[in-house]
Amino acid sequence: EMQVAESGGGEVQAGGSLRLSCTASGFLINEFAMGWFRQAPGKEREAISCIIATYDRTVYRDSVKGRFTISRDNAANTLYLQMDSLKPEDTATYSCAPVRRLDCSGSWWDYAVNAGGQGTPVTVSS
C-alpha cells in the first residue's frame, strides 16, 4: 500500500523558514514524480511544486517561486520542501503525493495519487 507521512510543520513568524519532509512507504519515490500541495482553511487545495523522477527538474507555483525549494533523497525515500521568507498567506496544511505525470508538465496535479497523507500544518504569523 502506497503511503506518505508529512512532518516538519509548525508556527513561524513572517520571514522565517521551515523544512517539510514527506517520507514514503510502500513505493519508491524514484519511480514517480513527487508533488507538494497545500490547503488553507476555507480554500481549495493548491498544487505548489513538483519534482521529476530522474533529473531533478522542478516546477513551482508562481506565488512560491524563489522562496520554496523542492528536493528529494531517493536513498531515504523522502521528499522535502524548504520554505524560506514565509508569508502569512502561506498558512495552510501541506501535503505530498506521488505524481504519475513523470515530467511534471501541464496539469501535473491531476495525476497525483492519493497516498493517505494527513498533511502537516504551517502557520505564519505577521
Side-chain angles (χ1 to χ4, degrees):
E1 182 182 5
M2 297 175 71
Q3 290 190 320
V4 294
E6 302 92 345
S7 62
E11 297 185 12
V12 64
Q13 290 190 327
S17 298
L18 285 172
R19 188 193 196 205
L20 307 184
S21 298
C22 165
T23 301
S25 59
F27 71 101
L28 297 177
I29 67 169
N30 62 7
E31 295 181 348
F32 293 87
M34 293 294 295
W36 281 103
F37 302 81
R38 69 184 180 187
Q39 187 165 19
K43 296 187 177 181
E44 293 191 357
R45 189 175 81 154
E46 295 181 334
I48 57 174
S49 186
C50 184
I51 184 168
I52 74 169
T54 54
Y55 297 111
D56 286 344
R57 173 179 178 265
T58 56
V59 296
Y60 296 93
R61 185 180 190 87
D62 284 349
S63 61
V64 306
K65 282 181 182 177
R67 300 188 298 120
F68 289 12
T69 304
I70 189 172
S71 62
R72 60 197 298 155
D73 183 340
N74 290 337
N77 217 32
T78 300
L79 177 74
Y80 301 100
L81 186 69
Q82 177 68 40
M83 306 189 297
D84 299 317
S85 303
L86 282 161
K87 303 176 181 180
E89 51 264 43
D90 295 319
T91 295
T93 295
Y94 287 70
S95 61
C96 64
V99 174
R100 294 193 185 279
R101 175 152 283 181
L102 300 185
D103 62 357
C104 297
S105 64
S107 302
W108 59 265
W109 48 88
D110 288 337
Y111 297 83
V113 177
N114 183 356
Q118 297 300 305
T120 186
V122 172
T123 302
V124 185
S125 59
S126 57

